[in-house]
Amino acid sequence: MKPFFKTNSGELYLGDSENLLQGSVGEKLKGKVNLIMTSPPFPLNQKKSYGNKTGETYKDWFVSLAPVFAELLAPDGSIVIEIGNAWESERPVQSLLPLRCLLDFAEHPDAGLRLCQESICYNPARLPSPAQWVTIDRVRMTDSYTHVWWLSKSDNPKADNRRALRPYSASMERLLKRQSYNAGKRPSEHVVSATGFLTDHGGSIAHNLFEIEPIHPGDEPRLPNAFRIANTGSSDAFSKACRREGITPHPARMPEGLVSFYTELLTEPGDLILDPFAGSCTTGSVAERLGRHWVGIEIQESFAQQARLRFEDAIAPTKKSAIK
């Protein structure tokens, strides 16, 4: 099967990901993918333009992907899935469906996966939802985060948190400058050594909380333990290109900062990244920028056409495949 388009580092296929990954595309990828980075359709009760299933149908579909994905992974590869919450239809009750999806996906007998870590992607600027229960009846809080699940076939997949450090806080910068701090025993009974925090590692180890925030000069993060991600969805080059072409962009794009973080944490230059629900190809564009090979699959041609805008300077006829 020929790609819908390709660049020097990657290729996007148009079609149903399940069929393609269990067919010719999957055969080429088998055992070679270092990272599957994706945000599949969420299990929402309201139908969206990008397509989504609900209830048990959604769970069965989602869980069936586990052995398909596992077969594509390199022995030390990882799967990272971003997924939102779900609510019971016409009830102010949060659905357990996403949690059941995680459990059955991770424990699928034919996949051999384990959950390495869960993270939270928090967006304080998210519109109040579910609207009926939050802004009308005023009986619930705004649903403002998505889950990020990192799974692998091994207890020790390729990973190095030194490649994805967050900037030091101002207080840590001052500590490194003066080379002293309050060492000794804490109320928690942990003992802080006198020299353990004096080495400048270029940044601090990321926490598993991501905060999507507009970035303004001098602005302090609301949550000091968050890994801060710029929310530039309406002003980035892709959005500007969509406005120029009179195109309505994909409504559920994954944050570029989230993709960048896991790309640097879990892969190295030259590695292969797959997004089986590519949408407007955020994963592919980040992979291209960071020197990784990539493969994307998108079922809707209108979104695949949008994706071209991310690679206007990179799309070229090339004899070199992203799949080595």
Side-chain angles (χ1 to χ4, degrees):
M1 182 176 180
K2 292 183 179 180
F4 186 71
F5 70 79
K6 62 167 61 179
T7 70
N8 286 324
S9 297
E11 46 204 42
L12 181 72
Y13 291 87
L14 182 64
D16 181 86
S17 58
E18 292 173 89
N19 293 334
L20 293 181
L21 293 179
Q22 294 179 77
S24 57
V25 175
E27 281 299 316
K28 292 199 297 180
L29 292 171
K30 192 177 296 183
K32 298 177 180 178
V33 178
N34 303 102
L35 172 62
I36 298 175
M37 179 84 207
T38 194
S39 182
F42 292 177
L44 305 173
N45 288 313
Q46 182 179 358
K47 286 290 182 182
K48 298 292 186 179
S49 61
Y50 49 84
N52 56 288
K53 304 176 190 294
T54 59
E56 289 298 314
T57 301
Y58 182 91
K59 184 178 78 70
D60 293 343
W61 167 79
F62 184 91
V63 173
S64 72
L65 298 172
V68 178
F69 287 1
E71 190 173 38
L72 302 176
L73 287 183
D76 61 353
S78 292
I79 302 169
V80 175
I81 299 174
E82 184 205 13
I83 194 164
N85 292 306
W87 293 76
E88 297 291 346
S89 180
E90 299 183 358
R91 298 173 62 197
V93 176
Q94 193 166 331
S95 172
L96 297 176
L97 183 61
L99 301 178
R100 292 168 57 212
C101 286
L102 169 63
L103 291 174
D104 289 357
F105 187 94
E107 295 180 337
H108 195 295
D110 299 326
L113 298 170
R114 65 270 290 137
L115 179 65
C116 295
Q117 195 163 24
E118 180 179 17
S119 298
I120 295 298
C121 190
Y122 164 62
N123 184 356
R126 194 170 179 180
L127 293 175
S129 65
Q132 178 66 44
W133 317 124
V134 177
T135 61
I136 300 175
D137 292 350
R138 299 277 181 159
V139 294
R140 294 294 181 268
M141 298 168 284
T142 298
D143 188 4
S144 60
Y145 72 90
T146 56
H147 306 264
V148 183
W149 299 328
W150 167 21
L151 304 102
S152 75
K153 293 195 295 185
S154 163
D155 288 5
N156 298 292
K158 180 191 292 188
D160 189 340
N161 63 31
R162 292 169 295 187
R163 295 195 295 256
L165 298 173
R166 64 191 179 111
Y168 283 131
S169 65
S171 61
M172 186 61 185
E173 293 281 5
R174 290 192 295 269
L175 183 155
L176 290 170
K177 188 174 182 179
R178 70 174 181 265
Q179 286 291 290
S180 67
Y181 57 91
N182 181 23
K185 195 171 184 177
R186 297 291 190 264
S188 63
E189 299 186 0
H190 288 95
V191 177
V192 179
S193 72
T195 60
F197 293 96
L198 297 181
T199 302
D200 187 345
H201 295 285
S204 60
I205 298 170
H207 291 224
N208 63 334
L209 173 63
F210 303 92
E211 182 182 20
I212 304 177
E213 271 285 270
I215 300 299
H216 302 292
D219 210 12
E220 288 292 329
R222 298 187 191 187
L223 300 175
N225 289 333
F227 193 105
R228 205 169 192 209
I229 296 171
N231 184 11
T232 56
S234 62
S235 60
D236 61 10
F238 171 71
S239 297
K240 291 176 180 177
C242 285
R243 286 195 292 272
R244 184 190 71 217
E245 300 294 330
I247 295 172
T248 301
H250 192 291
R253 305 190 299 280
M254 219 175 358
E256 287 194 19
L258 189 68
V259 181
S260 296
F261 175 84
Y262 280 103
T263 296
E264 294 184 310
L265 175 68
L266 302 176
T267 68
E268 299 173 286
D271 281 352
L272 178 61
I273 300 174
L274 166 68
D275 188 345
F277 307 104
S280 63
C281 217
T282 301
T283 297
S285 65
V286 171
E288 185 100 9
R289 174 167 51 82
L290 295 178
R292 276 67 167 172
H293 298 287
W294 63 272
V295 172
I297 301 174
E298 173 51 41
I299 196 169
Q300 292 199 33
E301 185 172 355
S302 59
F303 294 148
Q305 290 285 9
Q306 283 183 30
R308 288 179 177 273
L309 299 176
R310 294 190 184 274
F311 305 94
E312 288 180 311
D313 297 327
I315 293 177
T318 173
K319 299 178 181 179
K320 194 174 182 180
S321 173
I323 308 169
K324 295 183 289 183

